[in-house]
Amino acid sequence: MIIDLRSDTVTLPSPAMREAMYRAEVGDDVYGEDPTINRLQELAAERTGKEAALFVPSGTMGNTAAVLAHVGRGEAVIVGNQSHIYRYEVGGASTVGGSPMYVVPTEARGLLDLHQVEIGISDGSDEHSAPTALLCIENTHNRCGGAVLNVEQVEALVSLAHAHGVKVHMDGARIFNAATALGVQVSTLAQPVDSMMFCLSKGLSAPVGSILVGSREFIHKAHRMRKVLGGGMRQAGILAAAGIVALEQMVERLAEDHENCKRLAFGLADFPQIDIDVERVVTNIVNFSVRNAQQEQLTDAETMQFLEKAREHGVLMGTMGEGTIRAVTHYGLNGEDIMAALGGIRRALIDMQIA
């Protein structure tokens, strides 16, 4: 048996999703005539407290469309140096939109320092610097181990940006995990920002798709940008049907993923060879590293060897580079699977002769 902890993107659609996809009423969405997509978009806007929503094929397209809708060519976007937008989305804002990225340090728990952000904001009065049009924040934060920004932190960043006439976009790929961890409504976290993207295809377990939300004016612009990026999918209500089930049936169960992740983290902490801070595990992502017999962190090459040994023992995990390993809990895994994963990891440590 394989325990796949590489990502929550490996989830398979639930039986209810498959049934909904089979029965989905469809039309041409490019004409705005797919009733299932329209219903999903209305539901997403309602759940997030925004005026309108747009269904897109992926989170990367959602973030890129948002940046293109907010920012003109030659205007700057402030991003964190550990952000998904900066590290994993092929520089879409710069590549497609001609917008330079101004990079600020990301703190350990996913927050951007207010002072560093303010230093990076340019009002355009200096002809040597690109005027700042957008600040991007991330919640939960992927590379920071699923760290959560609380309401006060989001509001502080938004207030600073708005005071300088800068819009704020939230990469909320796992925003429902953040809301679950904080015990608040998603709409509460989304309210301060000008736009937000969230994924249906991660913890919410839909097979495909993400949602972009914001004002009607913003979504009108983003719709055009989706077209630029090739995101008109015609009779995609088949996919949207699974998204509706995701929002209606898969949100409350995210707490199970968080519990399983904590169980995994505490189990890993029992291994003396593993370096982990269990207090930083608050959602469904755990980051850790492995030490050798000399108590030195494994190199990237050694980490890849360890991951291959873990694979041989039925556990799939990923690497974040610099010796950091990531494991993600999700729909389809239970407590027994976590115990089996810990057993496979223990055997991998033995095989590496660092037990």
Side-chain angles (χ1 to χ4, degrees), residues 55-317:
F55 181 54
V56 293
S58 70
T60 294
M61 182 181 287
N63 283 333
T64 303
V67 173
L68 295 177
H70 281 304
V71 182
R73 181 170 291 274
E75 293 181 325
V77 181
I78 296 178
V79 295
N81 68 336
Q82 299 297 326
S83 67
H84 196 279
I85 286 176
Y86 178 63
R87 296 183 66 106
Y88 299 121
E89 298 186 8
V90 207
S94 303
T95 304
V96 181
S99 298
M101 293 188 186
Y102 184 96
V103 184
V104 300
T106 305
E107 296 182 353
R109 295 186 181 273
L111 189 64
L112 303 181
D113 180 76
L114 292 172
H115 179 63
Q116 292 295 326
V117 171
E118 189 163 28
I119 290 174
I121 295 175
S122 170
D123 62 5
S125 59
D126 182 351
E127 68 271 19
H128 299 94
S129 62
T132 307
L134 184 66
L135 167 65
C136 294
I137 61 178
E138 186 172 333
N139 200 15
T140 66
H141 201 289
N142 179 27
R143 283 186 61 82
C144 293
V148 173
L149 301 186
N150 63 35
V151 176
E152 292 74 23
Q153 290 168 330
V154 173
E155 289 177 342
L157 285 162
V158 173
S159 294
L160 172 63
H162 285 178
H164 291 274
V166 174
K167 300 286 189 181
V168 179
H169 171 68
M170 180 185 286
D171 175 358
R174 297 180 175 90
I175 193 65
F176 285 89
N177 291 91
T180 297
L182 293 170
V184 301
Q185 296 296 315
V186 164
S187 57
T188 302
L189 287 170
Q191 189 277 326
V193 301
D194 298 287
S195 62
M196 183 179 74
M197 181 281 298
F198 69 86
C199 291
L200 298 163
S201 57
K202 290 188 169 70
L204 299 183
S205 310
V208 176
S210 293
I211 297 286
L212 192 56
V213 297
S215 68
R216 288 189 179 87
E217 179 183 5
F218 165 77
I219 291 299
H220 177 72
K221 293 178 181 178
H223 197 281
R224 182 180 292 114
M225 294 306 105
R226 187 185 74 171
K227 184 68 174 178
V228 168
L229 298 169
M233 296 186 289
R234 305 299 177 180
Q235 290 78 21
I238 294 171
L239 303 175
I244 292 172
V245 175
L247 288 177
E248 291 182 338
Q249 299 183 19
M250 305 301 281
V251 173
E252 290 186 3
R253 63 152 306 280
L254 291 175
E256 299 174 23
D257 297 341
H258 297 183
E259 291 171 5
N260 282 331
C261 196
K262 204 72 171 180
R263 184 178 291 115
L264 176 64
F266 277 108
L268 291 170
D270 285 338
F271 299 133
Q273 311 93 326
I274 287 181
D275 188 13
I276 183 173
D277 183 356
V278 296
E279 296 304 316
R280 290 179 58 179
V281 179
V282 294
T283 55
N284 68 324
I285 299 176
V286 55
N287 288 346
F288 65 95
S289 60
V290 179
R291 294 187 292 257
N292 60 25
Q294 289 74 42
Q295 294 299 300
E296 299 169 338
Q297 182 174 302
L298 299 189
T299 65
D300 281 347
E302 291 169 332
T303 298
M304 293 305 297
Q305 293 175 17
F306 169 74
L307 291 175
E308 182 56 36
K309 290 296 183 183
R311 175 187 287 269
E312 291 174 6
H313 291 291
V315 185
L316 302 183
M317 295 176 289

Side-chain angles (χ1 to χ4, degrees), residues 38-48 53 243-245 247-248:
N38 291 342
R39 190 159 63 251
L40 170 62
Q41 291 173 163
E42 291 168 2
L43 178 61
E46 176 189 339
R47 292 290 174 89
T48 58
I244 292 172
V245 175
L247 288 177
E248 291 182 338

